[in-house]
Amino acid sequence: MVCFEIEPFAESVFVEVEPILRSAMDGHNVCVFAYGQTGTGKTFTMDGSNEQPGIIPRALEELFRQSSVDNSSSFTFSMSMLEVYMGNLRDLLAPRLCNKAYEPMSKCNLNIQTDPKGFIEVEGLSEVPISDYAKARWWYNKGKRFRSTSWTNVNEASSRSHCLTRINIFRHGDGLEARREVSRLWMVDLGGSERLLKTGAKGLTMDEGRAINLSLSALADVIAALKRKRCHVPYRQVFC
Ligand SMILES: Nc1ncnc2c1ncn2[C@@H]1O[C@H](COP(=O)(O)OP(=O)(O)OP(=O)(O)O)[C@@H](O)[C@H]1O
Ligand SMILES: [Mg+2]
């Protein structure tokens, strides 16, 4: 695990992410996440701006660049986006009646299932094929528009959920023995830990802040259990 403690998004951050992308293209499941207090630049680091694209748009561009220069295999990609909001899973790419953030979603409160091979699946989560970078950016921009944000004293567009962007990488080898391999790249912009006295959050925004704090502490328990190689890892505690 590589941690960037204080640095906002910079070229040096993406330099650290590039080998992780290579690893995903080589067939490994990998995850990059931004973690920290509210207002410290997590969303800026992952998403960026038009002038300074963040890790996610740059990673999308890099995946297509790497796939175009790799002569040993051919690649196809698909994308899913979801948020963990107040303990529920919401599909950010689910079809809506219109493109308004307040339009009710057709898929919220999705379930997590474990398949017979032990892989984790989010039941019914939308998965869209992305044939090139422009398509990938279109879907990514669409998904992030529906993410929950609110004004607080610390951040005028504070993320009120954890946002997960998943890229499925399908690798097709050439030759008769060729097999299709699937790997996953997860890019996660977590909600920020917050002190309610500092954010001045009230009502729903306060409840959202509490849910974020609670789930971040559950995430810390998961990471501690993985690090200590415990036989029980409390994954589902995050959604309680
Ligand atoms: N490197 C940067 N350059 C310019 N502006 C930045 C930078 N990092 C963060 N900001 C600005 O600071 C503000 C807070 O950043 P951001 O929303 O990314 O914080 P956050 O950690 O995601 O907070 P929260 O946990 O509340 O979602 C935003 O207005 C963002 O545009
Ligand atoms: Mg944020």
Side-chain angles (χ1 to χ4, degrees):
M1 185 190 296
V2 181
C3 296
F4 303 98
E5 284 180 9
I6 47 169
E7 204 179 354
F9 182 74
E11 205 59 38
S12 60
V13 178
F14 195 69
V15 167
E16 296 289 348
V17 172
E18 270 174 333
I20 299 174
L21 300 181
R22 185 65 258 173
S23 181
M25 298 283 281
D26 286 342
H28 299 280
N29 295 320
V30 297
C31 177
V32 177
F33 65 84
Y35 173 89
Q37 284 179 22
T38 181
T40 49
K42 296 178 295 299
T43 302
F44 191 86
T45 302
M46 296 307 286
D47 182 31
S49 60
N50 285 341
E51 300 72 40
Q52 268 183 282
I55 286 177
I56 297 175
R58 293 179 67 148
L60 292 172
E61 193 171 21
E62 180 61 17
L63 287 180
F64 286 102
R65 193 197 65 76
Q66 288 193 12
S67 72
S68 70
V69 296
D70 189 325
N71 297 324
S72 60
S73 317
S74 63
F75 293 89
T76 51
F77 303 94
S78 66
M79 179 192 274
S80 302
M81 278 178 85
L82 68 155
E83 67 174 356
V84 183
Y85 176 79
M86 304 267 278
N88 288 329
L89 288 183
R90 292 169 158 191
D91 187 343
L92 294 174
L93 300 183
R96 291 161 196 252
L97 293 176
C98 65
N99 270 351
K100 306 237 170 74
Y102 51 79
E103 185 68 24
M105 272 174 289
S106 59
K107 289 183 191 171
C108 54
N109 206 6
L110 302 172
N111 288 317
I112 298 181
Q113 300 289 347
T114 311
D115 77 8
K117 286 182 185 159
F119 289 113
I120 303 298
E121 256 316 326
V122 181
E123 210 174 39
L125 181 66
S126 303
E127 184 180 332
V128 295
I130 45 173
S131 49
D132 54 30
Y133 174 63
K135 202 85 187 151
R137 268 314 285 266
W138 189 87
W139 280 108
Y140 172 67
N141 288 343
K142 187 176 163 80
K144 79 177 188 191
R145 236 190 3 256
F146 297 123
R147 188 179 181 191
S148 312
T149 56
S150 266
W151 182 92
T152 72
N153 283 347
V154 176
N155 186 354
E156 61 182 34
S158 177
S159 312
R160 310 316 287 160
S161 65
H162 309 301
C163 179
L164 297 87
T165 304
R166 183 183 77 182
I167 310 299
N168 288 317
I169 303 170
F170 303 94
R171 183 179 148 133
H172 317 261
D174 48 12
L176 290 173
E177 300 288 301
R179 283 188 306 126
R180 191 179 87 143
E181 286 175 3
V182 187
S183 54
R184 284 172 173 178
L185 164 64
W186 289 91
M187 294 178 283
V188 183
D189 175 21
L190 291 168
S193 55
E194 53 189 68
R195 293 213 176 128
L196 299 177
L197 276 179
K198 220 169 156 189
T199 57
K202 294 194 173 63
L204 178 63
T205 313
M206 182 171 76
D207 293 341
E208 291 166 344
R210 285 196 176 126
I212 289 170
N213 284 346
L214 209 62
S215 55
L216 288 175
S217 120
L219 175 64
D221 291 343
V222 166
I223 292 172
L226 287 172
K227 205 171 149 200
R228 291 183 193 129
K229 299 195 180 351
R230 290 260 160 86
C231 51
H232 174 66
V233 181
Y235 290 113
R236 284 179 185 267
Q237 201 176 303
V238 178
F239 300 101
C240 293

